Amino acid sequence: DSGVTQTPKHLITATGQRVTLRCSPRSGDLSVYWYQQSLDQGLQFLIQYYNGEERAKGNILERFSAQQFPDLHSELNLSSLELGDSALYFCASSPRTSSRGETQYFGPGTRLTVL
Amino acid sequence: DAKTTQPPSMDCAEGRAANLPCNHSTISGNEYVYWYRQIHSQGPQYIIHGLKNNETNEMASLIITEDRKSSTLILPHATLRDTAVYYCIAQNRDDKIIFGKGTRLHILP
């Protein structure tokens, strides 16, 4: 158990809909990262937040957005969903920002299925 | 971006040492090399990291070449539970994290 929690574990929705994925980092961790993993693909970095501020951005679509709240939990919002958005979405946390690299602790993921 | 390249798959006999290579020829001087593994569809698990020196912990050893252009993760006595996808990453100065597709390690009984 990494100490990172993600809800829900599974989510099934239809195309065009909007969903919100939630992540609670390990106690004391200030950084939160979001990743997308499509079937048999590697982890695609989406975005990182540090202490409430956006810190780094990867290949995140404009239909996707995220935020980190004062209590440090984070939400990833996915809108106008398409079939291709079906994937595992992982959240990770680390104690500080990762200017040189820092160990990330991953949650169990949310499996999103878009029908 | 400091990208890494890894073989797509490897086999290792149970009880033997598994040596997983990673090439990171464009790594910058202050970038760490990190190794993670992902068992089935679980969240990735941290294994080890290093900058210049070789490192060892309870899970594995990390050997980094002197020029830092490549590294090798060593699982000293592989078990069936080590079957997983192993990712080698190097963090670039813009903090973007590039995982790649990793190496799928099969431990053979």
Side-chain angles (χ1 to χ4, degrees):
Chain A
D1 184 2
S2 67
V4 178
T5 60
Q6 290 187 248
T7 56
K9 291 185 70 173
H10 302 277
L11 194 52
I12 301 174
T13 188
T15 54
Q17 295 297 306
R18 172 190 169 95
V19 297
T20 297
L21 313 183
R22 182 187 170 102
C23 168
S24 293
R26 294 187 323 154
S27 177
D29 283 0
L30 299 178
S31 275
V32 170
Y33 310 76
W34 285 99
Y35 293 85
Q36 178 193 57
Q37 187 173 39
S38 302
L39 188 64
D40 291 333
Q41 295 295 310
L43 288 154
Q44 298 293 317
F45 169 66
L46 296 178
I47 198 165
Q48 178 201 358
Y49 279 81
Y50 171 69
N51 203 20
E53 299 291 326
E54 184 181 303
R55 184 70 176 84
K57 216 167 188 176
N59 300 319
I60 187 167
L61 300 172
E62 285 193 12
R63 300 184 286 108
F64 296 0
S65 64
Q67 59 184 129
Q68 186 179 26
F69 294 87
D71 67 353
L72 301 178
H73 90 272
S74 178
E75 292 181 356
L76 179 67
N77 300 295
L78 315 176
S79 62
S80 303
L81 285 167
E82 302 175 359
L83 296 177
D85 297 328
S86 295
L88 274 167
Y89 290 84
F90 289 104
C91 165
S93 74
S94 68
R96 294 176 294 276
T97 187
S98 296
S99 58
R100 295 190 305 166
E102 192 165 82
T103 301
Q104 296 177 55
Y105 299 89
F106 284 80
T110 292
R111 182 176 294 279
L112 173 67
T113 303
V114 182
L115 301 176
Chain B
D1 293 356
K3 294 183 179 177
T4 61
T5 54
Q6 300 175 253
S9 68
M10 291 183 62
D11 292 338
C12 179
E14 190 176 18
R16 303 298 293 269
N19 297 277
L20 291 89
C22 178
N23 182 289
H24 32 79
S25 57
T26 60
I27 195 170
S28 299
N30 63 352
E31 289 178 326
Y32 283 74
V33 177
Y34 273 79
W35 283 83
Y36 292 82
R37 73 180 182 184
Q38 186 176 25
I39 297 173
H40 195 45
S41 295
Q42 298 176 20
Q45 176 191 24
Y46 165 78
I47 300 173
I48 199 168
H49 73 283
L51 183 63
K52 295 180 182 177
N53 300 321
N54 298 337
E55 302 288 344
T56 296
N57 63 20
E58 65 279 2
M59 289 183 69
S61 295
L62 175 61
I63 309 297
I64 302 175
T65 58
E66 195 168 336
D67 63 8
R68 302 212 330 122
K69 292 186 177 182
S70 65
S71 61
T72 300
L73 177 74
I74 301 172
L75 307 178
H77 305 287
T79 72
L80 295 177
R81 288 176 295 181
D82 293 321
T83 294
V85 178
Y86 288 76
Y87 296 99
C88 165
I89 66 170
Q91 196 129 352
N92 70 17
R93 58 178 177 269
D94 293 327
D95 295 332
K96 294 178 184 176
I97 302 155
I98 302 169
F99 263 79
K101 294 193 176 182
T103 296
R104 188 173 296 275
L105 178 65
H106 299 103
I107 305 299
L108 307 175

